[in-house]
Amino acid sequence: MIRPISLDCAIWELTLRCNLRCTHCGSSAGQARPDELTTEEAFRMCEGLASVGCKEVSLMGGEPLLREDFVAISKCVVQLGMKLSIVSNGLLIAQHVDSIQQLKPEVVGISLDGMRDTHETIRGQGTWARAVKAIDLLKARGVPTTVITTVSKLNYKDLPEMRELLRSKDVNWQIQTAMPFGNFRKEQTLSPEEFYSTALFIAKERIRGKQDRIRVAGAHCYGYFSKVLPGCSWDGCTAGISTIGITSNGGIVGCLSMGNDRYFEGNVRDRAFADIWSDPGAFPYTRKFSREQLGENCTGCKYGAKCEGGCNSVSLALTGKMHNNPHCFYSIEKRLKRSL
């Protein structure tokens, strides 16, 4: 089945420069790329996104607030009629909260990866209190805020205690899994059973959240087609269908989580974004998917044609192939049933 192509969200790595060196960082962020887009080039990038009807632009990094032209680029996004979201580690929010409030973003995501000791093992000493302060500052200014937690063997046991911390803050909470690329070591990846246990936690908290004013969601890496957990339908990887990634030097990829140096469709310095997006040969792994592309974990599955093998970034990280995601609720539940 051919899916309709319509750009809902562009995930833009505004800079690779970062003031942290997190152990799970898939981008291995730290130093800016030597050839990052200039302010004028960034404005043209915004215009290109608007020209194809992009609905939302999510600015991330690295740490996007380290760019001196962050506010100017954000204003350009908003003035062109697109929704703005921001993802930050929280360390610079206090200096920029006035500007962020004036931009009226759809949401600001703040990374919080555990309680104090765990978070600081991952992100560095002194970072936990500043991230929590950033959440409080944003909420005090009426800025919609999401806490983003990237789970691994290092921190998944902190989730219940984090819930108690966040329940009074009236925030959204997005939980996603760390995958073995960039700085992250494979042995720290959640096992299928640990992955499933975090999914059970998410499902339980989504039910409890109706009373406790905390809205918990699993990211795109959580799925698919559970017989136990609610809301697990999946219509295939969205890379190049409704989402794209932009590297800080203008590279266009289906998804930044598939690795910034892979699967380039072009660079906006060489071709207009609209031409890259509308190229009939672009993003073939999703736009031209066929059931024959399913890997050994997914071939023969009754959901294969619809699911298309799950999240391709997880599939690539764990198996080296697309359309082959082993972290699938349906397959995990089948294995658990056999073991019982």
Side-chain angles (χ1 to χ4, degrees):
M1 182 180 70
I2 298 175
R3 290 188 281 161
I5 298 169
S6 178
L7 185 52
D8 291 334
C9 186
I11 314 298
W12 189 349
E13 173 204 85
L14 203 57
T15 179
L16 204 56
R17 184 183 174 198
C18 193
N19 46 7
L20 294 179
R21 303 293 183 272
C22 302
T23 61
H24 63 229
C25 180
S27 301
S28 300
Q31 298 300 314
R33 298 178 193 271
D35 57 344
E36 295 189 336
L37 296 179
T38 65
T39 304
E40 289 301 320
E41 288 174 325
F43 290 162
R44 288 198 292 274
M45 182 73 250
C46 294
E47 291 167 355
L49 292 168
S51 74
V52 302
C54 180
K55 297 180 179 68
E56 181 174 352
V57 179
S58 179
L59 301 180
M60 57 178 291
E63 173 51 53
L65 297 180
L66 286 170
R67 274 196 68 137
E68 294 180 359
D69 56 2
F70 166 78
V71 172
I73 296 170
S74 298
K75 284 182 177 178
C76 187
V77 170
V78 175
Q79 289 167 357
L80 287 168
M82 296 176 287
K83 295 177 182 178
L84 171 70
S85 60
I86 302 161
V87 179
S88 171
N89 59 35
L91 298 194
L92 299 176
I93 291 293
Q95 294 97 302
H96 294 275
V97 69
D98 290 338
S99 297
I100 291 172
Q101 182 183 20
Q102 292 167 11
L103 288 167
K104 297 181 179 178
E106 191 78 3
V107 69
V108 176
I110 300 296
S111 299
L112 193 69
D113 289 314
M115 299 306 292
R116 186 188 301 269
D117 289 348
T118 305
H119 178 90
E120 295 189 353
T121 296
I122 294 167
R123 291 184 172 263
Q125 189 172 4
T127 57
W128 188 84
R130 292 171 71 181
V132 172
K133 181 181 178 182
I135 296 164
D136 292 338
L137 281 172
L138 291 167
K139 291 303 301 178
R141 297 298 188 93
V143 178
T145 306
T146 291
V147 170
I148 301 172
T149 301
T150 303
V151 291
S152 67
K153 288 183 184 296
L154 298 173
N155 63 350
Y156 80 98
K157 292 182 180 179
D158 280 23
L159 295 179
E161 194 173 356
M162 287 187 70
R163 182 213 181 261
E164 295 308 308
L165 170 72
L166 297 177
R167 65 186 297 187
S168 64
K169 296 187 180 295
D170 191 22
V171 293
N172 299 318
W173 188 14
Q174 177 178 299
I175 298 173
Q176 58 195 31
T177 54
M179 284 293 120
F181 56 90
N183 293 348
F184 189 66
R185 301 202 306 271
K186 189 171 185 177
E187 60 268 25
Q188 294 173 341
T189 307
L190 294 175
S191 69
E193 292 75 20
E194 290 164 342
F195 171 79
Y196 194 72
S197 74
T198 62
L200 290 169
F201 174 85
I202 292 168
K204 180 185 72 173
E205 295 308 323
R206 289 180 69 179
I207 296 169
R208 292 178 64 182
K210 294 177 181 178
Q211 292 87 35
D212 289 348
R213 297 174 64 196
I214 178 170
R215 297 161 295 281
V216 184
H220 60 274
C221 49
Y222 276 93
Y224 313 93
F225 297 99
S226 169
K227 291 185 176 298
V228 178
L229 305 175
C232 295
S233 181
W234 174 257
D235 294 320
C237 178
T238 62
I241 300 291
S242 59
T243 61
I244 52 102
I246 308 165
T247 65
S248 60
N249 57 355
I252 303 301
V253 295
C255 173
L256 290 171
S257 295
M258 295 196 308
N260 287 357
D261 58 345
R262 306 169 73 182
Y263 306 106
F264 280 110
E265 303 297 336
N267 191 292
V268 294
R269 284 180 169 138
D270 304 319
R271 298 171 66 197
F273 174 74
D275 292 340
I276 297 172
W277 176 252
S278 61
D279 189 327
F283 313 101
Y285 45 88
T286 49
R287 293 185 180 181
K288 296 183 179 180
F289 170 79
S290 66
R291 195 179 182 100
E292 291 71 33
Q293 293 173 275
L294 292 172
E296 64 273 12
N297 290 317
C298 304
T299 187
C301 176
K302 66 180 181 179
Y303 297 116
K306 181 176 176 62
C307 178
E308 300 184 4
C311 170
N312 277 321
S313 65
V314 176
S315 182
L316 281 167
L318 295 179
T319 71
K321 303 175 183 177
M322 291 190 182
H323 314 296
N324 195 41
N325 188 347
H327 275 30
C328 158
F329 294 159
Y330 179 63
S331 61
I332 291 171
E333 286 172 358
K334 283 201 301 184
R335 290 199 300 272
L336 290 172
K337 184 176 180 180
R338 286 196 298 268
S339 68
L340 292 173

